[in-house]
Amino acid sequence: MVVEKNTRRIESGIETDFSGRMDYGSYLQLDRLLSAQVPVSRPEHHDELLFIIQHQTTELWFKLILHELRAVRRQLRGDDLRSAMKGIARIKHIQHVLIEQWPVLATLTPAEYAEFRGDLGAASGFQSFQYRAVEFLLGNKNAGMLAVFEALPEAHRLLTELLEQSSIYDEFLALLHRRGYPVPEGLLDRDVRQAHVFEPALLPVFKEIYEHAHGNWDVYEACEELVDLEDNFQLWRFRHLKTVERIIGMKRGTGGSSGAGFLRKALDLTFFPELFAVRTEIGTDNG
């Protein structure tokens, strides 16, 4: 037998006959997945495949984030803080992957993107219903966004449901209340269709948790996990903004927005404002 150098021999126990059996490709439905990249530019521009795959993979990660956030919300409602924090830890790793994707898209130069940008029509990341769903679950509710998805019944239904349901922050505050922390009653029966806004009365609650961390360790740790979650989300938004600026400058977005200017305003949005504001209070005597 001739053994070629620099070649790994297939082990005798490795499966090779998949006739009539599920294999890797069929399990992952790779025939559907890998045929879903359909450039619209004519003639087809080389860099459009990058643009499509960047956005498709982002949507797949958003799908997993939504899956995890729903579980986190359910676990918080059931007082299972440990499992909820495990879910947030996973989401944080997903966020790191999403953040690290931006430099790949940033290899697309302004001239290259201009070659096929006009073929996108009005299609825009602004129309990502999964991104809006993530924002809703984190607490940035905006009923006005539903109008964008009126022509997409399933997306509209999902966002309507999430608009009318609690966010993970709502459930975290309710958990704190059940544990005896003095969370204001008004936050427990608030209109969850509205975005959460800064509540000064929460600052003493979080100040107590932070200044006596060892006696409140699990909720203290949960607070820091939520801060990490928002930090990562804001970093993703920032990298999005800078990538857009790098590729199209201050041009208007394909979906009609002001482009980079619109994205910059998103950096002012916050999910858990009290968890950041309390840092100014820690170590000060308010008595």
Side-chain angles (χ1 to χ4, degrees), residues 193-211:
R193 295 171 298 179
Q194 303 296 319
H196 175 84
V197 294
F198 177 67
E199 173 53 67
L202 274 177
L203 291 184
V205 177
F206 289 126
K207 186 172 187 285
E208 173 70 16
I209 291 171
Y210 272 85
E211 292 187 335

Side-chain angles (χ1 to χ4, degrees), residues 56-229:
Q56 286 183 340
T57 53
T58 295
E59 290 296 331
L60 285 172
W61 286 122
F62 281 165
K63 181 174 183 177
L64 184 55
I65 289 176
L66 286 171
H67 179 69
E68 297 297 336
L69 282 175
R70 285 194 179 98
V72 166
R73 184 177 58 183
R74 183 173 61 251
Q75 289 153 354
L76 289 172
R77 189 178 299 144
D79 293 308
D80 186 359
L81 188 58
R82 180 176 297 182
S83 295
M85 292 307 103
K86 170 64 166 60
I88 288 180
R90 177 175 290 171
I91 292 169
K92 286 163 52 179
H93 284 294
I94 299 169
Q95 288 177 310
H96 289 310
V97 173
L98 286 168
I99 292 166
E100 288 304 313
Q101 283 189 178
W102 286 119
V104 181
L105 188 61
T107 63
L108 184 65
T109 69
E112 289 167 345
Y113 184 43
E115 289 291 322
F116 65 88
R117 186 176 189 245
D119 295 304
L120 303 180
S124 166
F126 178 80
Q127 300 144 18
S128 169
F129 74 89
Q130 290 197 120
Y131 172 80
R132 300 303 167 190
V134 169
E135 283 198 320
F136 281 16
L137 273 165
L138 291 176
N140 275 164
K141 302 292 185 70
N142 184 349
M145 287 302 308
L146 295 181
V148 179
F149 304 99
E150 287 182 349
L152 302 171
E154 287 301 309
H156 192 274
R157 177 192 58 77
L158 170 64
L159 290 174
T160 300
E161 288 178 358
L162 293 178
L163 181 72
E164 296 173 353
Q165 294 171 356
S166 59
S167 70
I168 66 166
Y169 197 42
D170 290 323
E171 294 298 341
F172 180 58
L173 296 177
L175 179 148
L176 292 180
H177 176 76
R178 291 192 297 271
R179 290 198 177 188
Y181 294 93
V183 174
E185 293 286 342
L187 290 176
L188 302 175
D189 58 5
R190 77 179 191 90
D191 182 357
V192 297
R193 295 171 298 179
Q194 303 296 319
H196 175 84
V197 294
F198 177 67
E199 173 53 67
L202 274 177
L203 291 184
V205 177
F206 289 126
K207 186 172 187 285
E208 173 70 16
I209 291 171
Y210 272 85
E211 292 187 335
H212 301 89
H214 289 290
N216 302 280
W217 188 260
D218 57 348
V219 293
Y220 163 75
E221 187 176 32
C223 290
E224 286 296 278
E225 289 289 315
L226 291 173
V227 169
D228 287 345
L229 191 65

Side-chain angles (χ1 to χ4, degrees), residues 230-261:
E230 175 153 346
D231 264 355
N232 288 342
F233 202 96
Q234 292 287 39
L235 183 55
W236 184 88
R237 282 171 168 165
F238 178 75
R239 291 297 300 144
H240 185 189
L241 164 65
K242 302 311 288 185
T243 302
V244 167
E245 286 181 339
R246 176 171 178 152
I247 297 176
I248 67 168
M250 300 306 293
K251 293 187 183 74
R252 295 191 66 83
T254 50
S257 77
S258 58

Side-chain angles (χ1 to χ4, degrees), residues 2-22:
V2 178
V3 179
E4 296 182 11
K5 294 182 179 180
N6 201 31
T7 301
R8 182 176 60 175
R9 181 180 299 174
I10 297 178
E11 296 175 354
S12 60
I14 290 179
E15 299 281 353
T16 59
D17 182 6
F18 292 96
S19 53
R21 300 169 62 191
M22 182 175 68

